[in-house]
Amino acid sequence: MESISAKIIPNNLSFNDIKVGRVFSFEVFVDKALARSFAKLTGDKNPLHLDEDYARKTEFGQTIVHGMLLGSFFSTLVGMLCPGQNALYLSQDLRFRNPLKFGQTVNVAGVVTAKYDTAKIIDIRTTIKDKNGTVIIDGLAKVKVRNE
């Protein structure tokens, strides 16, 4: 399986390069192999995400993607795209809006909503949407832009 970051050309943006309103995004296909890797890495082996028989009996009717697996893609957004290697992640809030079923491509996006000159901090409104544009997760990232 090709890594997600292998498809992304990393940025090295300075604070001055980043403009309010600029959008950064990438797409990723989310399959059960990714969930198994996430479960192995984190130890989160909740059957709602991994066991079809168990999940079939839940309100979802089938397995769904770990919310934190999806949320972890915001690290890729910040660490690879905005600002890229100059990122120092300060915080990220997450709101889990809708479940995601496996076998879908999601769009991971961030729009710069504010810049704080004295601290060299940016706010990024983060979203993950499915192919129909349904918001799966949204939130706000605060990122310090280092090495000015």
Side-chain angles (χ1 to χ4, degrees), residues 85-112:
Q85 76 177 34
N86 291 331
L88 178 60
Y89 225 133
L90 299 177
S91 67
Q92 172 76 57
D93 68 3
L94 299 172
R95 289 180 297 272
F96 301 96
R97 303 293 189 175
N98 291 288
L100 182 73
K101 296 174 181 174
F102 289 101
Q104 295 190 58
T105 297
V106 295
N107 179 272
V108 180
V111 59
V112 179

Side-chain angles (χ1 to χ4, degrees), residues 67-139:
M68 291 306 289
L69 165 61
L70 295 171
S72 71
F73 294 137
F74 293 138
S75 181
T76 305
L77 182 80
V78 168
M80 297 295 289
L81 296 178
C82 182
Q85 76 177 34
N86 291 331
L88 178 60
Y89 225 133
L90 299 177
S91 67
Q92 172 76 57
D93 68 3
L94 299 172
R95 289 180 297 272
F96 301 96
R97 303 293 189 175
N98 291 288
L100 182 73
K101 296 174 181 174
F102 289 101
Q104 295 190 58
T105 297
V106 295
N107 179 272
V108 180
V111 59
V112 179
T113 58
K115 290 177 66 173
Y116 305 96
D117 293 335
T118 55
K120 303 290 190 235
I121 291 173
I122 58 174
D123 287 350
I124 305 170
R125 176 64 50 201
T126 54
T127 58
I128 295 177
K129 295 180 181 178
D130 68 11
K131 63 184 175 191
N132 298 317
T134 301
V135 175
I136 306 302
I137 299 176
D138 64 8

Side-chain angles (χ1 to χ4, degrees), residues 24-50:
F24 298 85
S25 67
F26 65 94
E27 291 187 338
V28 60
F29 181 73
V30 183
D31 60 10
K32 291 181 181 181
L34 197 57
R36 286 189 297 273
S37 294
F38 183 80
K40 183 177 180 182
L41 177 67
T42 65
D44 181 355
K45 297 179 182 174
N46 186 311
L48 180 60
H49 309 299
L50 302 170

Side-chain angles (χ1 to χ4, degrees), residues 1-10 26-29 80:
M1 174 171 62
E2 183 181 21
S3 73
I4 295 157
S5 62
K7 302 173 189 175
I8 297 174
I9 299 169
F26 65 94
E27 291 187 338
V28 60
F29 181 73
M80 297 295 289

Side-chain angles (χ1 to χ4, degrees), residues 13-24 82 111-115 122-123:
L13 301 177
S14 71
F15 184 79
N16 291 332
D17 292 334
I18 300 166
K19 305 299 181 209
V20 171
R22 185 157 176 202
V23 177
F24 298 85
C82 182
V111 59
V112 179
T113 58
K115 290 177 66 173
I122 58 174
D123 287 350

